[in-house]
Amino acid sequence: MNAPDVVDVVALGESMVTFLPTRAGRLADVPSFDRAIGGAESNVACGLAAVGHAVRWVSRVGSDGFGDHLVETVGGCGVDVSAVGRDSSRPTGVYFRTAGDRATDAHEVAYYRAGSAASAMSVENVDLAPVRAARVLHLSGITAALSEGCLALLRALMAPGEDRPLVSFDVNHRAGLWRDAEGPRVLLELAREADVVFVGEDEAEEAWGISGGPSAIRAALPEPGVLVVKQGGVGATAFVSAAGRWGLVAPRGGAAHRHGPAPLESDTGPRIRAAAPSPAPKTGGTPQAGASDTDPRRQGAVPAPRPTQPAGGRAARGASGSAESGTPSTWAGGTHPRPAPEPGTFVPALHVDVVATTGAGDAFAAGFLSATLRGLPLKTRLRHGHLHAAAALTTPGDLAKPPTRDITDRLAAVSDDVWGTLRLGPGWTQAGTAPEEVRTP
């Protein structure tokens, strides 16, 4: 059997058929629904394919019409779906939601995913060769919550090895999916094994009890080479370590990754030596573009530098306590001193006329990973994340068409002053306008 082609990104996870109401109101009162699809990992896959990357989606669906629809729709976005398995004994997951934003108290979601084909994914029924044939493997905490088999699959894929791609992990804490109280601990363990991690500031507080901002989150999670902390409508802060498994700067066709320390490029030159501290984000003002699927406050996030690992390997880090250097933490047993917080790179979110927040976090990850695959500077990667998130925020469904690479490149290249005045509304991705034409008057 021939080895699978190596692609830019493989995204593994469940996608479901989504039913969106044709009018506002309670689910009990809505007479009809429009069909769409939704899934954190397939959203990222489709977003990356739309801007020219070679992407493969790996999952399992039922041998039913909904499974056909998912495979056809994701494949229609230019994603390789040849590794999607079929399950004749389990259905494809579906869900219904109201027209209101997910962040409102009136919002309703009805999931029918228990016992789905994707929830039964395991090391035994997923071919790992096409999953590992990638420069980047994108995973999320949602998959880990679906079943013990799914969690074991993620752990196998994230285990060290010469055939492991660089792993991107979106924490995506969904308390309602976990079968017990172990979810936060499991998510922290998985995040520590990843190379690139996306997490919301509010998400870290909810799951791990970390309140002290991005630096406190970094102190509790020093292992990933890149940690992107999403700070709601304010923006995002990224931490990048010069140490760690990070070589995601070659163009397609180049080396998939490097094993061991690899320098990163900076915003002012081809390599990063140290990350300069960023100004503290400002609060208040116009709502801005976010990177959260559930809360408009959790918006665009920015990757920043990660601390060098201490000799002797990874030490367990706590999820509680202060971010001060030397303050002990007792998460997952034991007491360990925290490293001193490192400076991060901050990029403010965009001003956006929000239609719905659904899928914005996935879009942000796709934009950031796209710019990373192209070897663009760190600040530009964050801006690409914000711009892709803005596309999702200005459309009603889970799966938004991102701006073209040309539009994204032009807007990401504007000065800081112009960036701060941009305001994006529905239809902006198709406008094809120059940056100054989408500025706030």
Side-chain angles (χ1 to χ4, degrees):
M1 182 177 178
N2 294 330
D5 293 336
V6 176
V7 295
D8 289 335
V9 178
V10 166
L12 178 144
E14 180 174 36
S15 188
M16 295 179 287
V17 173
T18 308
F19 290 94
L20 308 175
T22 54
R23 73 180 192 195
R26 301 184 309 150
L27 287 178
D29 300 328
V30 175
S32 60
F33 297 80
D34 290 327
R35 185 181 62 177
I37 70 168
E41 299 83 5
S42 60
N43 287 349
V44 172
C46 292
L48 285 164
V51 291
H53 297 286
V55 189
R56 178 180 298 127
W57 175 53
V58 178
S59 187
R60 287 178 68 79
V61 299
S63 298
D64 50 35
F66 289 148
D68 294 341
H69 177 63
L70 278 175
V71 173
E72 292 167 4
T73 303
V74 176
C77 292
V79 176
D80 175 5
V81 293
S82 61
V84 177
R86 295 283 186 152
D87 192 324
S88 59
S89 61
R90 295 179 178 85
T92 303
V94 301
Y95 76 94
F96 297 77
R97 65 179 177 87
T98 51
D101 192 281
R102 286 186 179 180
T104 67
D105 293 336
H107 180 74
E108 294 177 75
V109 181
Y111 286 103
Y112 299 91
R113 74 192 308 176
S116 69
S119 71
M121 286 190 295
S122 68
V123 174
E124 289 73 29
N125 62 24
V126 173
D127 185 356
L128 301 188
V131 180
R132 290 172 169 149
R135 296 169 65 193
V136 180
L137 171 59
H138 183 71
L139 306 168
S140 93
I142 293 174
T143 305
L146 296 181
S147 68
E148 291 298 331
C150 284
L151 175 56
L153 174 61
L154 259 61
R155 283 178 166 152
L157 292 171
M158 298 176 80
E162 286 299 312
D163 61 346
R164 169 183 144 158
L166 185 141
V167 174
S168 166
F169 182 70
D170 192 335
V171 172
N172 260 328
H173 177 239
R174 300 288 187 271
L177 286 178
W178 288 94
R179 299 163 299 285
D180 52 41
E182 291 295 292
R185 179 187 61 80
V186 171
L187 291 174
L188 189 65
E189 290 175 353
L190 293 173
R192 286 172 173 161
E193 295 301 320
D195 301 295
V196 182
V197 172
F198 300 93
V199 63
E201 188 175 33
D202 61 331
E203 186 175 39
E205 181 171 7
E206 178 186 356
W208 303 324
I210 304 175
S211 56
S215 293
I217 297 170
R218 184 48 158 177
L221 192 58
E223 294 86 356
V226 176
L227 173 66
V228 179
V229 179
K230 298 173 282 187
Q231 298 170 259
V234 175
T237 299
F239 300 87
V240 177
S241 174
R245 203 162 157 274
W246 180 266
L248 201 62
V249 294
R252 197 161 91 198
H257 58 262
R258 299 186 182 96
H259 294 276
L264 284 179
E265 56 205 350
S266 70
D267 295 334
T268 57
R271 297 296 177 200
I272 238 182
R273 287 177 174 75
S278 299
K282 298 178 180 179
T283 57
T286 307
Q288 296 173 307
S292 164
D293 292 344
T294 58
D295 188 341
R297 296 173 302 165
R298 279 172 52 202
Q299 297 164 346
V302 183
R306 142 190 173 178
T308 303
Q309 292 299 322
R314 296 180 176 180
R317 295 292 167 210
S320 59
S322 78
E324 298 300 322
S325 176
T327 300
S329 163
T330 55
W331 182 270
T335 299
H336 307 278
R338 293 178 186 271
E342 66 188 25
T345 299
F346 173 77
V347 171
L350 290 158
H351 299 275
V352 173
D353 296 329
V354 177
V355 173
T357 60
T358 308
D362 307 327
F364 183 93
F368 179 79
L369 291 175
S370 173
T372 299
L373 286 159
R374 295 171 60 195
L376 300 180
L378 178 61
K379 180 178 178 180
T380 305
R381 298 177 193 189
L382 297 170
R383 284 189 170 189
H384 276 241
H386 285 308
L387 287 162
H388 278 239
L393 289 165
T394 52
T395 55
D398 288 38
L399 187 59
K401 185 175 182 179
T404 65
R405 183 174 290 188
D406 177 62
I407 291 175
T408 307
D409 285 345
R410 285 189 287 125
L411 292 178
V414 301
S415 68
D416 290 346
D417 288 342
V418 172
W419 178 264
T421 65
L422 294 178
R423 187 183 189 105
L424 306 177
W428 73 270
T429 60
Q430 308 305 315
T433 55
E436 58 272 16
E437 292 178 287
V438 293
R439 291 175 60 182
T440 301

